[in-house]
Amino acid sequence: MACFITFEGVEGSGKTTQIGMAADHLRQCGLPCLVTEEPGGTPLGRRIRDILLNRHSFAITALSELLLFQASRCQHVETVIRPALESGSIVLCDRFTDATLAYQGFGRGISMERIHRLNEIATASLKPDKTFLFDVPVELGLSRASHRMDMQRDLPREDRFEKEALAFHQQVREGYLFLAEKEPDRFIVLDGTREIGDLQQEIRHRLNSWIGG
Ligand code: Z5A
């Protein structure tokens, strides 16, 4: 049964950890499942991701940044997400259109109306069926992310977004909570400070109830 589920949250909120475990669960249940991410998900998207995250890259204006995220998304929806859904797969996506509203809208201050219009164009109106929002205090998320970088020394140091001031990340967090409040049927807000196993148990329970597992 095709279903499009997105995982959202501030940096280090734990969504990437949970998405992998959720995919394992679905596959163990014999359900076809694709895990993908934004920006990225296609060869073009991965090139755009490098430009957007590279802390040493040239200056990028807020509007150019928005358009680059949308270019990555357009390619991703048309060549990966939609075909997977049409073939009956469950698609789990690490960030999608809500990330643009939270980061470029609430974080950078671009108008919501403009972002909604571009989201519509880039996705040809595809919307997630359900969205898990992992909510954590931004200080905790950023410290988790920097701890992870200490453990994986081969990874580049903090990226363009991690370098942003705490106030930026705080606006993003508040933006996400605002979006979730507006669409309570789609969003499941999870307290991301809970234990990994405990969170996964709740996610599996929700997935089973939507999809049957
Ligand atoms: N962005 C945007 O601006 N506009 C857009 O439209 C889109 C994206 C699509 C992508 O970065 C950046 O692009 C992102 C927003 C922007 N930047 N920021 N900030 P990314 O994909 O490279 O990174 P990320 O999306 O922020 O995810 P992340 O850093 O990988 O964090 P995470 O996925 O939320 O967390 P994690 O990797 O699962 O966990 C982080 C660490 O915490 C790790 O060591 C875990 O073992 C640990 N962890 C996880 N869960 C727990 C719990 N529950 N307890 C304790 N420890 C935990």
Side-chain angles (χ1 to χ4, degrees), residues 135-154:
D135 182 50
V136 293
V138 295
E139 295 87 345
L140 175 65
L142 290 170
S143 92
R144 280 183 188 168
S146 97
H147 179 69
R148 183 190 49 198
M149 275 182 283
D150 289 342
M151 307 304 289
Q152 300 169 307
R153 291 187 187 281
D154 50 325

Side-chain angles (χ1 to χ4, degrees), residues 70-84:
Q70 298 294 6
S72 166
R73 177 164 303 139
C74 183
Q75 184 82 7
H76 192 204
V77 169
E78 203 173 318
T79 67
V80 174
I81 298 178
R82 236 182 240 289

Side-chain angles (χ1 to χ4, degrees), residues 40-89:
T42 66
L44 173 67
R46 283 185 282 277
R47 294 286 286 274
I48 293 175
R49 181 182 176 89
D50 286 346
I51 295 170
L52 283 167
L53 299 194
N54 186 348
R55 70 192 295 251
H56 298 300
S57 67
F58 31 81
I60 302 175
T61 70
L63 185 56
S64 305
E65 179 185 272
L66 168 64
L67 293 169
L68 283 168
F69 277 115
Q70 298 294 6
S72 166
R73 177 164 303 139
C74 183
Q75 184 82 7
H76 192 204
V77 169
E78 203 173 318
T79 67
V80 174
I81 298 178
R82 236 182 240 289
L85 291 170
E86 281 165 9
S87 77
S89 193

Side-chain angles (χ1 to χ4, degrees), residues 8-25:
E8 298 277 3
V10 294
E11 176 78 26
S13 56
K15 57 195 171 37
T16 308
T17 304
Q18 296 295 337
I19 210 170
M21 295 166 81
D24 289 344
H25 170 67

